[in-house]
Amino acid sequence: MRAELRGSTPGHVSVPDPNPFDTPHGSLSGALKGCLGSLDGAGIEKLLLHCATAVEANDATLVQQVMWVLNNIASSHGDPNQRLTSWFLRALVTRASQFCPTAIPSATTGLTRARPMTATELVGYVDLTPWHRFGFTAANGAILKMVQGRRKVHVLDFSIYYCMQWPTLIDALSGRPEGPPLLRITMPSARPSVPPHLNVSTEEIGLKLANFAKSRDVPLEFHVVKATWSCSSDALNGHSNFLQEFASCLLDPSSLGLREGEALVVNCQSWLRYLPEGSGRATDDLSSRDAFMELIHRLNPCLVTVTDEDADLDSARLTSRIMSCFNYLWIPFDALETFLPKDSPQRLAYEADIGQKIENIIGFEGEERMERLESGARFSQRMTRAGFESFPFDEETVSEVKLLVDEHASAWGLKREEDTLVLTWKGHNSVFTTAWVPSGYDG
Amino acid sequence: MMELENSSVMTVSNSGSGEGSVSSSSQLQLPAPPPQPPPPNPVVKKKRNLPGTPDPEAEVIALSPKTLLATNRFVCEICNKGFQRDQNLQLHRRGHNLPWKLRQRTGKEPRKRVYVCPEPSCVHHDPSRALGDLTGIKKHFCRKHGEKKWKCDKCSKKYAVQSDWKAHSKVCGTREYRCDCGTLFSRRDSFITHRAFCDALAEESGKKGPGAQTSDPKPSAEEEKATATEEETAAEEVTAATEAAAETAPAAVVAAPLPPQQVAPLELQEPAEPTELPQYMPPPSASLANTSGVSCSSSSSSSNTSLFASLFASTTSTAVAHSTATFSDLMSVMGHADRPLTEPPSLCLATNGGPASLFSPQAQSHDRRPFAPPPPSPHMSATALLQKAAQMGAAATGSSFLKGFGLDASSGHQENIQDDGLQWGHQRKLEPEPAPMLSAGLGLGLPYEPDLMMGSSSLFGSKPATLDFLGLGMGPVDGTANGGLSALMTSVSGGGGGGLNMGPGTAAAGWEGTERKPSSPAIR
């Protein structure tokens, strides 16, 4: 029996039975929970899909039913399956709530209220697993190789990780036989409103970085490109704000402060996924993925590093997205389970951040769905279309990455797919990292 | 082969007879069987099989590891409640008002049950080697395959896989990089990154000379030297650097440089943080957690569970209080979560040397098991349980469910919804839709509107009086699975049999070396 919502039927008011659902011994919930707790991932996935289908079909009753079942599985302190389910359920609730007719606040705001981290906390955060440092290490290795012998290096940093990548590069540059170059790091002021969140400004981070570089005898100039267009306070269009701000940072390439004779490196770390596919008119839409790459190409960098998560989470179909999210994001949950206790605050915080990603991918559509991850294979095709050639990582870099991976749990692995390095967890792709040079680069 | 119980009725009859194999522990190998009261109803005398000659007619039960590890040895199969003594379980069973009598009258002899071990590599995993009693299999599992968490002695890191733990223990404490702030690192890149952003670095620019470094008790000579060198250099350089930075203020640095003195307060904050309660979410208000009649764990550390549970199945007489368990309340409480990153950074370095040692067989089994043992599962299919739900009060379920959403036709507790729903920040003005999805049901900042109620009446299904929440058909005794949800559960649980899949996913692709990406991997 499916009660389809067919519109109002006046006169037909079903007053709820005054006896609420009573579980006198807590029995049903316990039994149900027990029973459902033994569902494997495939079963949970089916439930999620059913829920999504019901949401799309406007089948309120079925949605409630499935959510009720899911809720009995979900637990943010349970096993990884349960934890993952709890975040998916939240996302589905968010989605369902989109259809409420009157003023419904977005659920995302609720989730972003975790206390922002300090810089050192962020360091710990990115080092929980090799997930992030994998890309840092590979990209830095490629950069080091490419800028050998160059006296001036300028890095355009497009990353959500607030310069966590750079101390090790600075450290490595300081040890160069030919001495360190003059290093400039430039980043846009615009950043997508996604975790991790820092409690200090980008400028302060830059200052610390500059201090550190000084301590290493590496001259560093840090520059934040301000947007020429400032966003309104309307947080509703948060991501549109970001895109417009970002585009305005790029509108005038001279605001990037490029100089003659410097080796220009563009570093994209978990960034491109936030740029939309674009309307097709690249010139009008600077913030689109292809337009961005085109712009970068025009700047004639000596190297472009692209690191991101290796999954396709941008399907137009909700059910596909649920499947791919579920079959991908179990990885970090599983990884954390292996070495952090159930109640670990770090683990919970990290999982909540992933939960926010899940919520965005499943709960929203259109502009608000800012997470549009595409896999390494597709990104690579895009780079090729944009006129780049892949640049292989040298053996030294690969060994360094391997060393990093080996220092973590044995389930982490390293895989090479042509010129791409992939971090794997139990054999499943998690993060890819690549390096590119413009075709026919004239260094 | 292995199967789970398909029908609650059968389960009940077995247990109701009082001498189902569940309670047969007294007959079998217990050294000191607890005294058993005479069963409350006529007992079919069980013939005891000789060891090694399994009853071919026996029903093979595969319980989950979690069930087997539960400390209450006598478990009610209907509701999973555990008891220390069998007699208590028997008394409890009588409380389940279920039609086991019917079953008895048909005269069908209860099937014997045997239990297999969920551990795939175990000899008792095979049904032909199943053990005959519940207690026996529980004991066996606990001793042989109990979940081990490998804990490092030196630090607090735990590992699910023995080889990881071994590898970690080898390096734990051997290689150390120490920051001035006192944090230890076993990996250089983490140390470097931390150091760059640690306030201790900036602090040094404020004070003095090369002598002001902490000496590390037991690093290797190389590290100590490196640390000392760094600090000396840093001490000298940073002092000059800060001044230089302040003066030249390179045009590139947009922000005004912070004087080192200002950095100190930041640093002071950090030591204070570890004293924060390491709770991801604040404990729910008493009205949310304690009054919930649901039997999920409602300790404060699992506040999320209880919140959601109370949302979805808030119950009972304290309906008034429960209207506070609105969706918006839920979300707002969730939203107030702190970020309690109170564990020192050194703990987050999952160091693990020894790449050579891949999984030992035991570790393998750890990895390929489902994540962690799921909660106890009775011998009932989801379908059956949901039927039970329908029997127990399907009519009422929907209302409290919706009550949890804040939609309460009988009581007018909408003010909470209004207040709390707005906490989420920005509002969105949406056009009212003629056929709202969950409509006012979500209680998200909606005023109570009778029209909306009318319009969403089909929310309650088309059945007038009985809220067939689970869609399982009308009436309490009708156990046929004709509802959308039952069908759903059947399909979810693997189609054919009404049972649920247990244990490791069937797509048991061991991860080592496997490059293919399963389309729907069972999460191990």
Side-chain angles (χ1 to χ4, degrees), chain A residues 55 58 90-108 236 359-360 362-365 368, chain B residues 327 424 428 430-431 433 437-439 442 444:
Chain A
V55 169
N58 257 350
R90 267 200 229 223
L92 286 165
V93 171
T94 299
R95 188 179 189 89
S97 72
Q98 309 286 318
F99 296 86
C100 282
T102 57
I104 305 298
S106 161
T108 335
L236 177 63
E359 193 200 47
N360 187 259
I362 295 185
F364 294 93
E365 291 294 347
E368 287 173 295
Chain B
F327 186 72
W424 287 4
R428 184 182 340 146
L430 294 178
E431 296 302 311
E433 302 214 2
M437 222 304 271
L438 288 170
S439 78
L442 289 173
L444 300 164

Side-chain angles (χ1 to χ4, degrees), chain A residues 20-339:
Chain A
F21 173 55
D22 202 47
T23 55
H25 14 249
S27 61
L28 175 75
S29 181
L32 182 60
K33 201 181 185 90
C35 167
L36 294 173
S38 60
L39 273 180
D40 64 2
I44 295 174
E45 188 188 339
K46 278 193 197 169
L47 278 173
L48 292 172
L49 291 174
H50 276 294
C51 191
T53 310
V55 169
E56 306 227 280
N58 257 350
D59 186 347
T61 309
L62 187 57
V63 167
Q64 288 178 35
Q65 291 171 3
V66 184
M67 282 187 175
W68 185 79
V69 173
L70 281 169
N71 184 55
N72 278 284
I73 301 170
S75 165
S76 66
H77 284 66
D79 65 40
N81 263 344
Q82 290 176 295
R83 291 166 177 248
L84 201 52
T85 304
S86 77
W87 293 111
F88 271 83
L89 178 56
R90 267 200 229 223
L92 286 165
V93 171
T94 299
R95 188 179 189 89
S97 72
Q98 309 286 318
F99 296 86
C100 282
T102 57
I104 305 298
S106 161
T108 335
T109 340
L111 282 176
T112 54
R113 277 185 281 172
R115 175 176 66 78
M117 292 186 272
T118 66
T120 43
E121 282 173 339
L122 182 58
V123 175
Y125 181 96
V126 304
D127 273 325
L128 265 182
T129 65
W131 196 275
H132 310 283
R133 194 164 288 288
F134 174 81
F136 296 170
T137 309
N140 287 350
I143 295 173
L144 273 167
K145 174 97 163 112
M146 188 52 96
V147 305
Q148 261 173 8
R150 303 294 295 262
R151 303 303 317 163
K152 293 188 278 183
V153 178
H154 186 185
V155 174
L156 288 185
D157 187 22
F158 302 104
S159 158
I160 59 173
Y161 294 112
Y162 294 105
C163 302
M164 289 293 122
Q165 179 172 349
W166 305 126
T168 41
L169 179 69
I170 291 169
D171 180 64
L173 285 173
S174 75
R176 278 203 322 184
E178 68 265 43
L182 165 65
L183 178 64
R184 299 175 61 218
I185 298 179
T186 300
M187 45 188 298
S189 61
R191 181 183 177 278
S193 179
V194 294
H197 294 291
L198 206 56
N199 68 351
V200 295
S201 66
T202 313
E203 285 82 0
E204 283 191 50
I205 287 288
L207 195 66
K208 291 188 195 247
L209 208 58
N211 266 347
F212 173 73
K214 271 291 182 183
S215 75
R216 284 283 193 275
D217 275 330
V218 178
L220 172 68
E221 287 179 28
F222 187 84
H223 181 213
V224 177
V225 179
K226 292 296 196 193
T228 52
W229 175 90
S230 56
C231 69
S232 68
S233 58
D234 182 5
L236 177 63
N237 292 315
H239 198 57
S240 310
N241 289 345
F242 156 70
L243 290 172
Q244 292 185 53
E245 248 191 87
F246 181 58
S248 75
C249 293
L250 302 174
L251 263 176
D252 178 10
S254 67
S255 65
L256 299 174
L258 307 185
R259 296 177 195 159
E260 282 296 317
E262 60 186 13
L264 181 65
V265 173
V266 177
N267 182 63
C268 300
Q269 169 73 240
S270 303
W271 186 265
L272 297 178
R273 63 169 103 129
Y274 297 111
L275 303 182
E277 192 59 54
S279 56
R281 298 184 314 189
T283 48
D284 293 346
D285 190 359
L286 262 183
S287 62
S288 78
R289 229 165 269 202
D290 288 329
F292 176 71
M293 270 311 147
E294 200 182 321
L295 170 84
I296 296 302
H297 196 285
R298 279 203 298 272
L299 302 178
N300 200 28
C302 66
L303 184 74
V304 179
T305 60
V306 175
T307 301
D308 219 315
E309 299 175 346
D310 200 3
D312 290 306
L313 304 182
D314 63 340
S315 163
R317 289 187 53 223
L318 174 67
T319 45
S320 306
R321 292 206 301 278
I322 289 183
M323 276 173 54
S324 37
C325 271
F326 196 70
N327 290 323
Y328 174 66
L329 293 172
W330 69 271
I331 294 175
F333 279 78
D334 193 32
L336 292 176
E337 162 83 353
T338 61
F339 71 98

Side-chain angles (χ1 to χ4, degrees), chain B residues 411-432:
Chain B
S411 63
H413 284 269
Q414 303 302 318
E415 62 274 10
N416 295 317
I417 301 165
Q418 269 185 301
D419 294 341
D420 298 326
L422 304 186
Q423 277 188 27
W424 287 4
H426 61 268
Q427 306 285 319
R428 184 182 340 146
K429 306 286 180 199
L430 294 178
E431 296 302 311

Side-chain angles (χ1 to χ4, degrees), chain B residues 7-312:
Chain B
S7 152
S8 59
V9 178
M10 180 143 75
T11 309
V12 172
S13 76
N14 277 337
S15 53
S17 69
E19 278 303 319
S21 45
V22 173
S23 59
S24 64
S25 52
S26 57
Q27 300 178 24
L28 301 174
Q29 53 266 35
L30 271 188
Q36 266 203 311
N41 36 288
V43 162
V44 174
K45 275 282 190 253
K46 293 166 62 336
K47 52 183 194 303
R48 186 180 163 188
N49 285 325
L50 293 170
T53 58
D55 180 359
E57 299 299 308
E59 184 174 36
V60 182
I61 311 284
L63 293 172
S64 72
K66 184 96 175 237
T67 313
L68 293 175
L69 288 172
T71 47
N72 285 328
R73 292 160 57 204
F74 302 96
V75 182
C76 173
E77 284 161 295
I78 294 114
C79 66
N80 245 22
K81 200 162 146 67
F83 298 88
Q84 301 285 355
R85 305 170 77 198
D86 185 59
Q87 49 190 337
N88 299 340
L89 171 63
Q90 298 309 319
L91 286 168
H92 160 83
R93 276 215 195 92
R94 292 160 73 185
H96 287 300
N97 191 20
L98 290 152
W100 53 267
K101 284 182 188 133
L102 284 171
R103 198 70 185 146
Q104 277 229 298
R105 269 191 253 123
T106 66
K108 182 167 175 190
E109 184 174 325
R111 280 172 81 187
K112 176 177 167 54
R113 285 204 198 130
V114 294
Y115 300 86
V116 292
C117 180
E119 180 53 46
S121 59
C122 179
V123 62
H124 293 296
H125 189 64
D126 189 286
S128 65
R129 305 291 232 100
L131 299 180
D133 79 305
L134 179 63
T135 305
I137 193 71
K138 287 171 86 153
K139 271 192 181 169
H140 156 81
F141 186 85
C142 192
R143 285 180 193 140
K144 264 281 166 63
H145 313 295
E147 178 187 298
K148 295 180 191 56
K149 282 290 181 191
W150 304 94
K151 189 182 175 308
C152 174
D153 320 318
K154 293 166 227 165
C155 67
S156 72
K157 289 186 90 89
K158 297 182 199 225
Y159 294 89
V161 177
Q162 188 178 18
S163 57
D164 289 343
W165 168 75
K166 270 193 198 152
H168 163 81
S169 306
K170 264 190 255 172
V171 299
C172 187
T174 55
R175 240 184 340 157
E176 278 177 354
Y177 301 87
R178 175 182 284 250
C179 177
D180 292 335
C181 69
T183 324
L184 287 169
F185 299 89
S186 58
R187 288 193 9 251
R188 187 163 186 273
D189 44 20
S190 308
F191 168 61
I192 298 279
T193 312
H194 166 91
R195 192 163 171 71
F197 297 111
C198 179
D199 298 316
L201 180 68
E203 267 251 316
E204 282 182 19
S205 66
K207 28 175 180 177
K208 78 171 187 319
Q213 66 230 7
T214 55
S215 59
D216 195 0
K218 52 162 182 165
S220 65
E222 180 195 349
E223 266 69 67
E224 188 174 17
K225 202 161 35 150
T227 317
T229 323
E230 281 172 20
E231 288 179 334
E232 285 181 14
T233 322
E236 292 162 0
E237 297 292 351
V238 172
T239 322
T242 327
E243 292 164 1
E247 287 161 10
T248 63
V253 177
V254 176
L258 290 175
Q261 293 76 14
Q262 274 191 15
V263 174
L266 281 179
E267 198 205 4
L268 286 175
Q269 274 174 23
E270 288 199 26
E273 281 155 10
T275 63
E276 261 180 35
L277 285 176
Q279 244 183 347
Y280 179 62
M281 280 193 271
S285 59
S287 66
L288 285 174
N290 299 334
T291 51
S292 170
V294 180
S295 71
C296 29
S297 58
S298 53
S299 63
S300 57
S301 63
S302 60
S303 50
N304 182 36
T305 311
S306 53
L307 278 173
F308 244 106
S310 64
L311 164 67
F312 280 87

